[in-house]
Amino acid sequence: MIQKFQENGYNIVDIDKEISDICIVNTCTVTNIADRKSRQSLRKVKEKNKNAIIVATGCYAQSYKEELEKMKEIDLVLGNEEKKDIVNHIEEFLRLNKKIICVKDISKQKEFDELGEISYTEKTRAVIKVQDGCNQFCSYCIIPYARGRIRSRNIENVINEIKRIAQNGIKEVVITGIHLASYGKDFEQNIGLIDLLEKINEIDGILRIRLGSLEPQIITEEFMQRLIKLNKICHSFHLSLQSGCDETLKRMNRKYTTSEFAEIANILRKYYKDVILTTDIIVGFPGETEEEFKETYDFLEKIKFYKMHIFPYSPRKGTIAAKMPNQISGDIKSKRSKTLIELSDKNQKDYNEKLLEKNVKVLFEEPKNGYIKGHTSNFILVKCKTNQNFENQIKSVKIIGAEIEDVIGEVNS
Ligand code: SF4
């Protein structure tokens, strides 16, 4: 959207420092809290920019336009597909001077939205979205309604964009999508995520390819035998588990069992000895009994993820789970969250401590206040105290300290 405005002669200003004529809030709706924060942001920008045109777009606008339509602070409510025409919508508003609500049925969208030449402000790592939408309809999730059905980005366009950013010096790409494992399923040709990764691996200048959140079922022996040949793939995988209890998984409409998931973790650990696995877990899903939670806890203890992102279940209007009986109280959700966060912190600290005295390779980012930080290939955050600038370089580092979130290192000379 920034790019669209710039192409049309608008100036982008820092919302914290200047008063602006147009304020865009790109809303999120993944949880109730995200909705609330989106509404708060809209009120806040209006309060500060009293004469500005206020636009709400993104997933909350796409999914619950009636709620935003009622807010007097807002002048335009635009769905996700309207983002590419945002400038035209604003100019129409200026002509008509009347509230515009334009949210199309995203489930009819068949093509990946190409945004054109994007300029990157990051120097080290670029996030490349290659897939949009999801057909899975997990019972708790609003995303299929907010983002529509699966659609993949043309392989040539992805490769050309990555070649261009490699020429600008970026060393690492993160390949993302809403349901990344579905990449290529909407193409007529038989192309999948692994074909795309093989092509990216050939691009000169790119040293690391990181995968965004991945659905567990894509990890098979066949997939791994091709993946292992790609020397730039980072050994960190974020596999969304959501629950470690088969009954809960069934109610969630997740399409794997815990034993299948355990096998997937084994396959990854067999191929990559230093692999790091992270995950997302929902606690307090409707009907989650103490026994079910205990099963989840025991399974998580067994798998030993490096880090777990814990989400208390948040009912999303319009989803099946929101109407399920036996909704869990906030107190129980908080208690269960706390228990799993403690387990996650323990796993992360234990793993980090095992790195003490070892040497790792770190791709460094921008230095700040006498420190420089970067990540290993398996995505451990490493901080080094130094006044030297190693930005965008890969260096060997000796680990001398371990915290929960990161490790402390010394750059080897
Ligand atoms: S697979 Fe992911 S995005 Fe798709 S419905 Fe399930 S949780 Fe939502």
Side-chain angles (χ1 to χ4, degrees), residues 202-251:
E202 287 167 14
I203 299 175
D204 288 338
I206 295 298
L207 302 181
R208 286 178 174 184
I209 305 166
R210 202 173 286 293
L211 292 175
S213 178
L214 207 57
E215 299 61 44
Q217 303 97 306
I218 197 173
I219 307 293
T220 59
E221 283 286 344
E222 197 192 345
F223 181 86
M224 289 307 295
Q225 276 167 20
R226 285 173 72 182
L227 197 71
I228 191 91
K229 295 194 186 117
L230 311 182
N231 62 332
K232 298 176 184 174
I233 295 289
C234 291
H235 299 180
S236 65
F237 292 81
H238 184 83
L239 305 172
S240 282
L241 170 65
Q242 308 300 8
S243 168
C245 163
D246 286 330
E247 278 308 309
T248 317
L249 284 173
K250 252 193 241 158
R251 293 200 301 282

Side-chain angles (χ1 to χ4, degrees), residues 134 136-138 140-141 143-144 178-179 215 242 254:
C134 180
Q136 298 292 307
F137 290 91
C138 299
Y140 53 83
C141 183
I143 287 176
I178 297 292
H179 194 260
E215 299 61 44
Q242 308 300 8
R254 300 291 286 176

Side-chain angles (χ1 to χ4, degrees), residues 26-40:
N26 193 16
T27 60
C28 175
T29 192
V30 73
T31 58
N32 278 336
I33 295 171
D35 286 357
R36 197 171 64 226
K37 283 190 182 162
S38 299
R39 289 192 300 270
Q40 277 166 356

Side-chain angles (χ1 to χ4, degrees), residues 1-3 5-6 9-25 45 48-49 52-53:
M1 286 189 275
I2 287 176
Q3 198 123 344
F5 278 105
Q6 283 171 335
Y10 290 79
N11 287 331
I12 306 299
V13 297
D14 183 339
I15 199 144
D16 292 325
K17 296 191 188 133
E18 285 180 63
I19 298 296
S20 52
D21 301 315
I22 304 168
C23 300
I24 321 274
V25 178
V45 289
K48 202 169 153 206
N49 303 269
I53 299 169

